[in-house]
Amino acid sequence: MTVRYVPVIGLEIHVQLATESKLFCRCSADYFGKAPNAHICPGCMGLPGAMPILNGRAAELAVRAGIALSCKIRDRLYFDRKHYFYADLSKAYQISQDGRPVAEGGLLKIRSDDGTLKPVRITRLHLEEDAGKLVHSAADGRLEGAENSYADYNRGGMALAEIVSEPDLSSPGEAREYAARIRQLVRYLAVSDGDMEKGSLRVDANVSVKQVDADTGEVLAWSARAEVKNMNSLRALERALEYEIRRHREALASGERLERETRHWNEAEGVT
Amino acid sequence: MQLYELSATEMARGVRAGEFSASEVLESCLGRIEEGEGALAAMITVTAGKAREEAALVDGMVARGEDPGPLAGVPIILKDNICMRGAPVTCASKMLENWVPPYDAAVVEMAAASGALFPGKANMDEFAMGNSGEFSVFTHPSNPWDTDRAPGGSSGGCAAAVAAGYAPLALGTDTGGSVRQPASFCGIYGLKPTWGLASRRGVVPLAPTMDQVGPFARTAEDLALILSIISAPDGGDGTCRPGQRPDYGAAVATPSLKGKRVAAIRDLEGLSSLLDDAVLEGLSKFLDLCRGGGAEIVDVSLPVTVEFGPPCYHVLSRAEAASSLARYDGVRYGLSKRGESLSELYTLTRGEGFGPESKRRVLMGTWVMSGANFDEYYTAAAKTRTLIAREFDEAFKGCDIIALPTAPGPAFIKGTQGGERMRMANLLTLPPNLAGLPALSMNMGFTGGDKPLPVGVQLIASRWGEAELLNAAAAVEKSVGGATVASLPARGKEGEAR
Amino acid sequence: MTITEQEIRALAETAKVGLTDGEVTAMTAYFNDAVPFCGAMARAAREGRLDLDGVPPYAPAVEEPPAPGEDRAVPSPLRDELLAAAPEARDGFFVVPRILEEE
Ligand SMILES: [Zn+2]
């Protein structure tokens, strides 16, 4: 029996929307490289009694991207609270669109590895707030010390659109191509600057590998899905997926069972 | 007659006309606070200095021939979950005991722009959760009509303050009866507006789909006056309805019950074992007065509301409270108990900062929202809430106002609530919060005995029907009179107030 | 159904609320009293006394919601005041106990 290994990949892409202000307050969205907590207000700091006021432009940009991805657009916006306790989250919940995303059921055609056009289904596009950032030491050594971490909420409350694909991608090359097409699209539509290095476009990959009987096409086994984060370029995305797929193949081949988990790409060492 | 006994309308008229000054009004009220606080503990913070500056500004305007506005020189007490710059907004909790908000609530801005003065922040149940004032981490407030009894809650301090003449007006919040029940316990007016009428910007949230700011007053005219100010649209609250409000002043100027359909609730008969005779007599008296005024008395049926309102409210209010209170974690403001890890910082801070009722509600809210419990408890309650709202929609096709008691009985003795009684204490006030409807409580006289206690009746209207409520209240007030200022007990509990 | 003290401790950990042993006992009693009360609706639905089929969960809304906010950045004048209110701040940051970077 000949065995084939088929990667199954879906991407979640967070796109920072090209707005002047944050999603639910009017703090400046031009946060990159600014002094810590230079752009905070009662709203994005979750002060008692401060209320969210939706940024109309952010909604417009999300709808624009949704239309370009051939999604169905909802005629009203609904938001939910996603709760978790963490120091980068000022209200202990993120305002997101869990149940009823602004856009869903879309399609994006990409050039697949063999040169044919391949449709990739878009599950949904939804609006949500970004979290702040935690710093563990400053470059100049000012914040050295083993006992503290430091919270900067400049990014907290920034407007994001999260674009989730179905697991229709079957190689690192296709994943890269899909991400590149999304980046091109959001740039062309002026929805986002799409800068991966600055973090205004962030790609998380859900990947698993299925073991298939090459003759009959019968699926023999699946590896447990892993979520891979922290890829700061298209090249990194491709390399991380190559590494991860190899890891899954080897596990399947040796009969080892993988846990379902979240892994972080280490660019310097080339491992997840 | 002392200045503090005047209604807000009379105070503003006198100040604007130059008959007396805002400072004189304020001093009269501050004197009353000074005199009453030992026994009542209605206040958490008295901001006399700030109020004196505000009064001086109003007097300056009058002297220059300018009009300070319709609330000129009127002191307004704020519940201590409504933010006012320069004073802590404690929410009667250790968590925020020392936190001073950097902004005024929208309703404070609106009242200030109309010439109001703010002499202090009133006692309450912690984070507005409770119905007796006894969940305040500070001294528990007392009822001015009998200091052994609770003023109600959670806005108990506001109600006691207005009843005792600290000020003619107060602003509280009502999530399940927290304005109406204390109003009824203290013999004054309390109004919970339609959800979306008054801005909640700068008001510490408890259950955002139910919370509303609501005023206390001693006359229907004053209630209309303050409502017309605080119900202004506010773009800073995305849930506040834009557009013109009705003329509430007109509703109380020439009130009439002619042709109005006032409904009693048939299903309440099954609950008579939970209801004190005094409140049922108060309701009968109200209905008789309505009939005498030309109203038609009808009845409506609200079976789902009466049977499932309390558990529905219990589940949803806890779920929302757990979410609203999640942000108090000791990182950015308020109480903080540093631990070895982030998780420890959270657990220590929230363990020490929250009182027993807050802990119960946060845990129950977390529980009904989690995993397998979500559908069984939260979703079932959220669907039931839709049925309750529909039931009211249906009922209002056949009537203009629904009348019922405000609370199961008059004010209870402090320390006697618990279990089933406590769970059912807001049985009659929570339905309007679930359905987003306006509701008003007014005094219908007193019980007998050597320490007579006020008895309240509650009026509910359809959405945006505040004018309907004010009209009916003003019409009935012509027969029963406005609320009287309670006389203060002899001083004797010195040092109890904070 | 009985809720145990162990479940209450786990719940308190999820909600990040520290409880003393005495509080755990009292909380467990409260839960065992209140949970059956809270389950009244689902129970009645199962018994056929309350029809929740096809009923949407309640969603509060005003008839004409206000227009969304304009996308216009405004300065953050309260920055210093917000940092001053922090339990612990340093060099413009809010300080928390050390967190491992990988989280
Ligand atoms: Zn902000």
Side-chain angles (χ1 to χ4, degrees), chain A residues 22 25-27 39-45:
Chain A
K22 295 183 179 181
C25 66
R26 297 298 83 88
C27 282
H39 299 165
I40 58 172
C41 73
C44 55
M45 290 300 285

Side-chain angles (χ1 to χ4, degrees), chain B residues 6-14 70 74 168-169 219 221-223 225:
Chain B
L6 297 178
S7 73
T9 307
E10 292 162 341
M11 283 179 186
R13 191 165 52 223
V74 177
L169 297 173
T219 69
E221 186 183 34
D222 278 6
L223 203 59
L225 171 66

Side-chain angles (χ1 to χ4, degrees), chain B residues 90-249:
Chain B
T90 68
C91 294
S93 176
K94 276 193 215 172
M95 195 63 97
L96 293 178
E97 186 171 358
N98 299 308
W99 185 65
V100 179
Y103 39 75
D104 285 335
V107 291
V108 173
E109 287 174 358
M110 292 166 187
S114 301
L117 321 174
F118 302 96
K121 311 290 294 285
N123 210 343
M124 58 186 280
D125 289 292
E126 186 180 16
F127 285 109
M129 299 184 287
N131 49 52
S132 69
E134 293 168 293
F135 290 129
S136 170
V137 300
F138 306 122
T139 308
H140 300 162
S142 297
N143 191 310
W145 298 101
D146 177 354
T147 52
D148 291 333
R149 292 177 188 266
S154 66
S155 315
C158 287
V162 171
Y166 289 9
L169 297 173
L171 295 177
T173 59
D174 189 316
T175 304
S178 282
V179 164
R180 289 158 288 154
Q181 183 252 23
S184 105
F185 278 19
C186 293
I188 58 173
Y189 284 96
L191 173 71
K192 181 206 91 76
T194 307
W195 189 84
L197 184 77
S199 172
R200 291 178 294 139
R201 174 165 57 87
V203 179
V204 181
L206 171 58
T209 73
M210 305 176 199
D211 298 342
Q212 268 290 293
V213 172
F216 292 90
R218 293 190 299 261
T219 69
E221 186 183 34
D222 278 6
L223 203 59
L225 171 66
I226 181 67
L227 184 67
S228 64
I229 305 294
I230 63 161
S231 64
D234 175 29
D237 172 357
T239 65
C240 184
R241 184 188 193 180
Q244 187 90 36
R245 272 41 173 173
D247 183 346
Y248 300 120

